[in-house]
Amino acid sequence: MKKLELHWKILIGMVFGLLFGFGMTQISWGTGFVVDWIKPLGDIFIKLLKLIAIPLILASLIKGISDLKDISKFRNIGLRTIVIYIVTTIFAITIGLLLVNTLQPGDGISEETITKITETYANDSEVQSKIAEAGRQKSSGPLQFLLDMVPDNAFKALGNNKLMLQVIFFAIFMGISMLLIGEKKARPLKKFFDSINEVVLKMVDLIMLTAPYAVFALLASVVVSSNDPDLLIALLKYAGVVVLGLIIIIIFYTLIVATYTKKNPFWFLKQISPAQLLAFSTSSSAATLPVTMERVEKHLGVDKEVSSFVLPVGATINMDGTSLYQGVAAVFISQALGFDLTFGAQLTIVLTALLASIGSAAVPGAGMVMLVIVLESIGFPPDKLAIGLALIFAVDRPLDMCRTVVNVTGDATVAMVVAKSVGKLGKPHVREWDDHIDEVSNTNE
Ligand code: ASP
């Protein structure tokens, strides 16, 4: 019998998770049961993915760079990646602004709804902590991001998942230095990292065996902790505009893949789908990164020289879904609260949402923190910030899930484009989790 493909297994897990979650909300002890007994299983899965993210980035980037035959190739890959990331992000924000200005979702919100939402969420500790976090991020100088990128202690950087850019910096620095000492001297280290890289990719295969059960747990816990359904309905038009924008961006990616790399866009989406489904279930591009890397290298055929740089950098700085959302949310809040936006203010949104998406951490809810900075940049009254955030808070988690899918798909698209442009898009070489199992089993015979 033909084996069920991974993305179908994950999808089935997600559907069962949703149904189970809804079922449990109907039982008095259901929510507590899911939180105590089901959610930890999903959390363990996310922890396992995060566990291997840093070793994977380090090993694959060092290997990728030290495999280069000349350094100028790396400059080429780097420049193209950054330029394409910026262009696609500006495109995404522009689409968001066009949609929100044409469809005006904020005008349909009644005073009553605003009051109800404000009472429910404006003093919510999560809303307040996002405003406080934004305040901390904003108080830094203009070159702070450069400063933050350079580690002063390699082991400290390697020991903190939030310092991914520092790890990337260290790996590039080391990879380039390995190139410069010459092939012979660098060989042992290269072999070492090569081997780590293979082992970590095998870990991804093993972790992915549990993915269908993990997404079941993750979605069940999202459902039991979701907000008042009435509020979700009041915000349906706003959520619809964000989702419509995200769909347009996905179509845009598939067009790029079809026209530039000449690959079938449905094939592209199918190969990347396990990463997209995980992005949806975890709301975190960083947690999804190991799977994105595995899919892009093994299933789409992008060479490690490209993917090992484009994907980790993309997970931290390229967030088209998040930036589209920031544009839509900023204008929606202004419309709903009667704050007039000039054309200049909308241009400011393009610029700040671009910077904000670069600065957003690749974790759940990070986009909302940066939204505060976007709102402040257009002169939004500070005393109304909490009300503004409260307005969109109820639907933030489902939208976060959707925008993370776009963020991850965008990284994979750019990896394909850059690989094609430097002649590094080859044939996929798919492996199974147990492709060497014969060698290690039956050893007693
Ligand atoms: N959760 C998103 C990500 O990890 C970031 C955000 O939009 O909040 O890509």
Side-chain angles (χ1 to χ4, degrees), residues 52 55-61 63 67 190-206 294 297-298 304 429-433 435-436:
I52 55 173
L56 182 60
I57 297 173
L58 187 72
S60 80
L61 197 49
K63 170 164 166 50
D67 272 350
K190 228 168 118 172
K191 280 197 171 149
F192 172 75
F193 283 115
D194 203 5
S195 179
I196 292 197
N197 184 59
E198 285 300 322
V199 173
V200 179
L201 283 176
K202 187 53 75 186
M203 288 172 152
V204 178
D205 289 345
L206 295 176
E294 202 257 356
E297 280 168 26
K298 305 287 180 201
K304 188 177 296 304
H429 33 102
V430 180
R431 316 146 315 151
E432 297 296 330
W433 73 271
D435 49 7
H436 289 285

Side-chain angles (χ1 to χ4, degrees), residues 279 282-287 315 318-319 321-323 325-326 360-369 396 399-401 403-405 407-408:
T282 61
S283 287
S284 166
S285 329
N318 181 51
M319 298 194 180
T322 302
S323 51
Y325 145 85
Q326 279 163 343
S360 296
V363 296
M368 211 171 167
V369 173
D396 196 60
L399 291 184
D400 193 0
M401 296 160 84
R403 63 191 190 238
T404 310
V405 174
N407 293 346
V408 166

